[in-house]
Structures are given as structure tokens and as C-alpha cells.
Amino acid sequence: MDEIKTINISKPFLDQKPGTSGLRKSTKRFQEDHYLEIFIESTLQAFTEVKGSTIILGGDGRFGNKRAIAKIINICAAHRVGKVIVGKDGLLSTPAASNLIRINNAIAGIILSASHNPGGKDGDFGVKVNVSNGGPAPEVLTNKIFQISQSLISYKLCEVGITDLSNCGLSSINGMGLEIIDGVEEYTSLMEKIFDFDKISDFLKTDFSIIFDAMNAVTGPYAQKIFVEKIGLSQKALMNCKPLADFGNLHP
């Protein structure tokens, strides 16, 4: 087993009240020492049975995404979470995370996104918390997270280097399972159950044309998989489908 540390800070952060779409602050605020860690510690303490549970984790690829994921994995390991499931390359859209929460009977999902807010070093960062039904955390839970954060001056950490999120597979950290999965594949399977891809393909190839602009955000890989590989559209139907840390200065 790896050593679990308790990290102490001098005073609590008093501005960690989540809104309906989670906690959104400037990237610089989230980059401050201990800021993200205290919010995640508060979140895990707000759930009654974290030990042995499953948590879904991923984000929209904005600046700080992978660094934040590594920290969250280490905090989850210190709390004896049973398994953390992470999207490949740290990427996971909010609806894809919702699906993974439900099919894996996860206790929660932690989604690193500030939605349409600009990204990059001078942009914004955010943490959304979803619950076991796949939906956003209700106000009773977000209030509890905030209440805990108001007096929290320490957090637990199992300090293990997390460097590679690009290879799918299962590993172990402090007895906790860490599974990297292709979140795009899982979400595409869900969409195929809901929509008739063959009919959509016929329509788009004969009666209607589209251009899908992912604005260099997390939807790019999903668009590539669904519109090009599954529905059969030309690559020319897609624009800006490579996720970038600053979204290429676009506004997803």
C-alpha cells in the first residue's frame, strides 16, 4: 500500500459554493495551491459511503484538465474509493459521463468543465459533480459541500505519479482500481440504441447537408466517431474537432 498523507493548509477557502453547473472560477484560482484539492476533499466528505464505491472522472480538455485529474485520482485513492473510471486522454463530455455513471452504478461523477466559458491560462476552469442517477448534484448536496469547505483545513492524498491517460486498461493505486476507458465508444453505443443511424445517414447524404463545428472542445472526438465513422459523412463535414487547452480561442 502507498502512504496516505494528510496535507494541512493555513486557512479554509471561503468561495467554494457550487452553482447549478458546479464550481466555476478562473483557471488561475484553480491553479492556486490546495484550491482544487480542498473542493474535492469537501465533495468526497459530502458523500456518506465513498469507500469501495465507483467514481467517474473526466473533463473537456481545457487547460489544467490532466493535472486536475491526477490530483483527484490521488485524493480518491486516499479515501479508499473502490474504482475510478477515467475517459481516455482525460476527455469526457458531460452526457457521456452521465451514461457511464448509470451503467457502472457509480456513486458520482466528477466532470472538469466550465461549459461554454473560455479556456486557457487566462480563461476559466470548473468542477461539476453528478450523482448516481447521472444528473447534477441537487442543492442539498452542493450546500453540504460548501458547508464542509468553509472550515476544511486539510485533505488526504495518496501521492502517486499519474502520467499516462492515453492507454485503455485497468491498473491499481493503493488498492483502488484505476480504469482508463474509451468514453467515446460507450457514448456512441448509447446513441445507436436511441437513434436510427441508418436513417440519419440516408437523410444527411441525400436530402440535407451539415457542417459540425466542435470549436476545438470535447465534442470533437464524438463527432468524428458518430458523423464520420458511423454515419459515413465526409471529413469535410467537421470543423475544429481537435480538443485544445484554450479551445483555439474559440468559445465552445
Side-chain angles (χ1 to χ4, degrees), residues 7 26 28 36 50 83 105 111 113 131-133 144 155 158 161 163 168 190 197 211:
I7 309 298
S26 69
K28 290 178 181 177
L36 171 71
V50 165
K83 179 189 282 188
N105 295 314
I111 307 161
S113 173
V131 291
S132 59
N133 66 5
K144 187 176 180 181
Y155 59 92
C158 181
T163 57
C168 294
L190 174 64
F197 278 16
I211 296 290

Side-chain angles (χ1 to χ4, degrees), residues 7-204:
I7 309 298
N8 297 304
I9 65 174
S10 59
K11 59 182 179 179
F13 295 102
L14 302 179
D15 63 343
Q16 294 194 339
K17 186 172 179 58
T20 53
S21 295
L23 181 67
R24 293 187 189 180
K25 299 289 179 182
S26 69
T27 301
K28 290 178 181 177
R29 183 61 166 154
F30 267 105
Q31 293 281 313
E32 290 180 21
D33 289 345
H34 314 300
Y35 191 84
L36 171 71
E37 292 92 330
I38 286 291
F39 184 72
I40 298 303
E41 178 75 25
S42 301
T43 299
L44 295 183
Q45 287 191 21
F47 285 92
T48 55
E49 296 184 6
V50 165
K51 186 177 179 180
S53 67
T54 297
I55 290 177
I56 307 300
L57 175 60
D60 62 11
R62 68 180 60 226
F63 182 85
N65 190 66
K66 288 185 178 179
R67 177 174 176 264
I69 285 173
K71 289 184 176 183
I72 294 169
I73 290 170
N74 285 338
I75 295 171
C76 286
H79 280 268
R80 309 290 188 189
V81 170
K83 179 189 282 188
V84 173
I85 300 175
V86 185
K88 182 181 177 183
D89 296 320
L91 298 175
L92 207 57
S93 74
T94 300
S98 177
N99 175 51
L100 289 172
I101 291 168
R102 295 190 302 274
I103 66 176
N104 289 283
N105 295 314
I107 193 174
I110 299 174
I111 307 161
L112 307 176
S113 173
S115 299
H116 59 272
N117 291 29
K121 292 182 180 179
D122 297 316
D124 292 334
F125 196 84
V127 181
K128 299 178 183 180
V129 179
N130 282 26
V131 291
S132 59
N133 66 5
E139 190 173 6
V140 64
L141 180 59
T142 57
N143 285 343
K144 187 176 180 181
I145 293 170
F146 178 58
Q147 184 179 25
I148 293 169
S149 74
Q150 292 293 281
S151 59
L152 195 62
I153 55 171
S154 68
Y155 59 92
K156 293 196 293 185
L157 186 70
C158 181
E159 205 163 22
V160 178
I162 310 293
T163 57
D164 188 9
L165 299 174
S166 62
N167 294 316
C168 294
L170 181 64
S171 58
S172 179
I173 296 175
N174 197 43
M176 179 189 79
L178 174 60
E179 186 173 9
I180 313 298
I181 69 162
D182 187 341
V184 174
E185 193 67 45
E186 293 283 1
Y187 185 70
T188 301
S189 296
L190 174 64
M191 292 298 100
E192 286 183 299
K193 294 174 184 176
I194 298 173
F195 299 102
D196 189 327
F197 278 16
D198 290 335
K199 286 186 178 180
I200 293 174
S201 177
D202 291 342
F203 175 68
L204 293 180

